[in-house]
Amino acid sequence: MISAAATGYGTSLALILAIGAQNAFVLRQGLMRSHVLAVVLVCAISDALLIAAGVAGFAAVTAAWPALPRIMALGGAAFLLVYGFLRLRAAWRGGEALVAGGERQSLRSAVLTCLAFTWANPHVYLDTLGLIGAVSTAFGGPAKLAFGIGAVAASFSFFFALGYGARLLAPLMRRPGAWRVLDTAIGLTMWAIAASLVF
């Protein structure tokens, strides 16, 4: 049970660590200290719903189509290779920096923007329904539930840490050099995950 939960936590955290539009939005809201609780709850609860759907329903789908996990793994690997390349290219070019200034959004606007970043992102479905769902098929019964709980816990802990920890990163993340290091780490991590999916 503990091993299954740890696998769920690690899998979910590895997938969610990539700085995409959603995470950058949460980071900015945290830096501005604007509607942080609402934003992190929208992200974490949305992830929890998608993870639960992936863990609960993926086995039924794969029973009908046994080749699906391999196809999704290869598709996921292709996406991760491209995403990793884009992050490494961004690190090579440099010039990115986080600007925490600007006018604050209303609560309604912040929540709607966050929902759009979450539910309109096709990659969230690949991560939660596809990749996490596929990994969950290695477990059965209570261990599968533990895997799902671990995956959801990773989402909650990540978004709360990102939203409320952002203020600690404000001085650092205003420097373009910090983004180069972060993008390099993300790119190499994405390539490592892609390799593990293929092999």
Side-chain angles (χ1 to χ4, degrees):
M1 294 283 284
I2 293 173
S3 174
T7 301
Y9 191 95
T11 303
S12 180
L13 190 62
L15 292 170
I16 206 170
L17 275 175
I19 298 293
Q22 181 193 47
N23 292 354
F25 177 73
V26 174
L27 188 60
R28 282 182 172 86
Q29 291 299 114
L31 285 167
M32 293 185 292
R33 301 180 188 188
S34 176
H35 312 300
V36 179
L37 180 60
V39 166
V40 298
L41 281 175
V42 165
C43 292
I45 291 170
S46 295
D47 254 18
L49 293 172
L50 289 164
I51 288 168
V55 171
F58 199 75
V61 175
T62 55
W65 194 11
L68 185 61
R70 183 63 179 160
I71 292 169
M72 292 198 77
L74 292 174
F79 163 70
L80 294 172
L81 284 171
V82 171
Y83 188 82
F85 168 76
L86 293 175
R87 297 287 29 102
L88 290 169
R89 186 176 67 176
W92 177 262
R93 290 180 176 174
E96 293 188 35
L98 185 64
V99 179
E103 192 175 322
R104 292 185 180 208
Q105 292 179 295
S106 67
L107 173 61
R108 180 176 181 272
S109 178
V111 168
L112 289 175
T113 302
C114 190
L115 284 169
F117 277 133
T118 304
W119 292 92
N121 176 7
H123 305 306
V124 73
Y125 301 103
L126 175 65
D127 288 351
T128 54
L129 298 177
L131 297 177
I132 292 176
V135 175
S136 75
T137 60
F139 304 96
K144 188 169 196 164
L145 178 61
F147 174 90
I149 290 170
V152 168
S155 182
F156 271 85
S157 61
F158 174 80
F159 283 117
F160 273 83
L162 182 63
Y164 286 102
R167 65 191 68 180
L168 302 174
L169 297 174
L172 176 66
M173 297 312 290
R174 288 194 183 100
R175 289 189 255 158
W179 281 98
R180 295 184 87 159
V181 171
L182 183 63
D183 279 333
T184 299
I186 290 169
L188 293 175
T189 301
M190 294 301 101
W191 280 5
I193 295 171
S196 72
L197 287 172
V198 172
F199 302 110

